[in-house]
Amino acid sequence: MRKPAYDSLYNRRIKRLIDICISAVALFVLWPLYLVIAIAVVIEDGRPIFYRADRGGYKGTVYKICKFRTMVRNADKIGGGTTALHDPRITKVGNILRKTKLDEIPQIGQVFLGKMSFVGPRPELLCYVNKYEEDEKDILQVRPGITDFSSIEFINLDEIVGGDNADEMYEKYVLEKKNHLRIKYAHEVSFVTDCLILFKTLAAV
């Protein structure tokens, strides 16, 4: 019987080595950009610089995702977990970071540490991960990533969920399809798949 793609040598070993090498170089090259963005965040809205929140991780572990903060402080207490269209919680610097996807680059450090991968299912809120059933559990057999099939499909997620009841719209129209795309990645993970996703992500951004 053929082993599932997520149980391949590539997913278990080779992919990790590639992640370490590329992330180490990227961190060395990008540190001045990290510094500039951090200063911009602090000047506009003070600390903290980073947004950290629990997400479902590899093999069902829980880890804290790390992004540059793009919303006002305590935004999670003001509104829901899904960002709405023209969400008033987003800062001016945050709006630029979101449009350019630069808010995601702190995750390169998490790639280096093994919490994430460059390519893999986008990490999800625990309230959704804890409800995974059947094939959805395969999503947790690959490291969560900075980009995947669903990142490309829903690159402008705020426009899809609209300005009202964003969490409800996400659950009703996005979550199931996102999970199908996450499962698709887990079942097709390979070097070729990762290269294809990275190329499509750069083109989309």
Side-chain angles (χ1 to χ4, degrees):
M1 184 176 179
R2 186 179 179 183
K3 293 195 297 185
Y6 57 73
D7 199 32
S8 65
L9 179 62
Y10 173 75
N11 184 55
R12 290 186 291 107
R13 294 287 186 270
I14 299 174
K15 184 177 169 71
R16 178 73 190 118
L17 291 175
I18 294 173
D19 280 342
I20 291 172
C21 293
I22 296 177
S23 61
V25 173
L27 288 169
F28 178 76
V29 172
L30 293 175
W31 73 263
L33 180 59
Y34 278 61
L35 182 60
V36 170
I37 294 174
I39 292 172
V41 171
V42 170
I43 289 175
E44 180 178 13
D45 197 51
R47 296 183 178 182
I49 295 169
F50 300 108
Y51 166 76
R52 296 179 62 82
D54 289 341
R55 293 290 188 270
Y58 185 48
K59 299 290 187 181
T61 58
V62 177
Y63 80 104
K64 288 189 179 295
I65 195 171
C66 182
K67 301 181 182 184
F68 280 117
R69 183 167 62 87
T70 60
M71 291 188 173
V72 296
R73 284 169 285 184
N74 300 314
D76 54 340
K77 297 178 181 178
I78 301 172
T82 304
T83 306
L85 183 64
H86 306 308
D87 198 312
R89 296 175 296 172
I90 300 175
T91 63
K92 292 179 181 178
V93 170
N95 190 47
I96 296 171
L97 295 179
R98 282 173 173 265
K99 286 183 176 179
T100 57
K101 303 302 179 183
L102 288 174
D103 60 317
E104 305 279 0
I105 63 173
Q107 292 168 47
I108 296 174
Q110 295 187 295
V111 172
F112 183 77
L113 294 173
K115 301 292 185 181
M116 297 182 68
S117 178
F118 280 106
V119 182
R122 283 299 296 162
E124 189 56 274
L125 297 170
L126 294 182
C127 62
Y128 299 130
V129 173
N130 293 335
K131 296 178 182 178
Y132 281 175
E133 297 179 347
E134 300 178 350
D135 283 357
E136 290 175 335
K137 294 181 180 180
D138 292 346
I139 296 169
L140 304 177
Q141 298 304 310
V142 289
R143 283 183 175 81
I146 297 176
T147 185
D148 70 340
F149 291 120
S150 69
S151 300
I152 301 165
E153 179 79 14
F154 298 105
I155 194 165
N156 294 314
L157 181 61
D158 56 347
E159 295 180 7
I160 297 172
V161 299
D164 300 313
N165 302 317
D167 285 340
E168 181 182 336
M169 295 294 286
Y170 178 79
E171 294 173 10
K172 188 174 182 180
Y173 296 108
V174 177
L175 182 59
E176 184 176 356
K177 188 168 185 180
K178 249 192 172 185
N179 282 344
H180 282 314
L181 291 171
R182 290 178 175 127
I183 294 168
K184 173 182 170 68
Y185 177 79
H187 290 177
E188 297 180 7
V189 55
S190 69
F191 179 73
V192 173
T193 299
D194 284 359
C195 289
L196 178 64
I197 290 174
L198 282 172
F199 177 78
K200 286 187 174 181
T201 300
L202 291 173
V205 171

